[in-house]
Amino acid sequence: MAYEPLYLAYLVYFNRDRDYFECHEVLEELWLARNRDPLYKALLQAAVGLYHFRNNNVRGGFIMLNRAHEVLQGYPAETLGINLAKLAGEAGDYARRLEAYAEQPFEYYDLTIELADPVLEEEVAAAAREIIPSNPQRRSPQRPASRRHGN
């Protein structure tokens, strides 16, 4: 099975670079190409939730990670070559912690998407060799407003 190049880029940006803004950019393009598939939207929301919380937007982080959790938990444990059950559970745990953040604050931490398919592992490694990390990472959109789409 060959995976979509945009999906591979998403995984590289998510796991290697922790560049959740770029995750959003590449996966949004794939989400639109896939007729707004809810699975891709939920993966996108997981990245956006981490992006928001890392930038001190607790409410935005909660909303996105909670939405991601709600959708991801409805799919098979292994989907798109990843351990989706693990990601869904971690997104749900993160959302619950963010919901209680005012009473129990905690330090930001990254999530890692566990690759479950050896073919996907190989393709992600190959893609990673071609993708130069954004340094410094972008903090806001840099494309025309007419091309942006809501989550």
Side-chain angles (χ1 to χ4, degrees):
M1 170 186 234
Y3 291 91
E4 296 272 355
L6 291 168
Y7 178 61
L8 297 174
Y10 167 83
L11 292 169
V12 171
Y13 288 126
F14 197 103
N15 285 346
R16 182 192 75 184
D17 299 348
R18 310 301 185 186
D19 189 338
Y20 304 117
F21 188 87
E22 284 301 322
C23 285
H24 173 273
E25 294 295 285
V26 297
L27 207 59
E28 181 180 56
E29 191 175 330
L30 182 56
W31 171 64
L32 292 171
R34 295 287 183 165
N35 297 315
R36 300 175 187 250
D37 183 320
L39 175 58
Y40 289 108
K41 182 176 181 180
L43 290 171
L44 192 153
Q45 289 171 326
V48 172
L50 293 171
Y51 173 83
H52 281 314
F53 182 49
R54 186 168 60 191
N55 288 295
N56 302 312
N57 179 351
V58 175
R59 185 172 187 282
F62 165 72
I63 290 169
M64 288 292 108
L65 286 161
N66 192 54
R67 286 181 184 166
H69 166 72
E70 288 173 354
V71 173
L72 295 176
Q73 68 181 350
Y75 286 87
E78 188 176 312
T79 300
L80 290 176
I82 63 175
N83 184 341
L84 197 65
K86 179 178 181 276
L87 179 61
E90 289 175 345
D93 290 343
Y94 219 127
R96 282 185 287 282
R97 290 188 72 194
L98 288 171
E99 190 172 30
Y101 186 81
E103 297 81 34
Q104 297 176 347
F106 61 96
E107 292 290 319
Y108 167 84
Y109 59 93
D110 292 307
L111 296 179
T112 298
I113 297 174
E114 183 180 298
L115 307 182
D117 178 5
V119 172
L120 179 61
E121 287 181 29
E122 290 174 19
E123 291 185 18
V124 167
R129 289 189 292 273
E130 303 297 320
I131 296 173
I132 299 168
S134 302
N135 193 5
Q137 293 181 1
R138 289 192 293 157
R139 297 295 180 208
S140 62
Q142 295 177 335
R143 59 186 175 155
S146 62
R147 290 197 55 215
R148 281 188 231 133
H149 301 277
N151 302 349

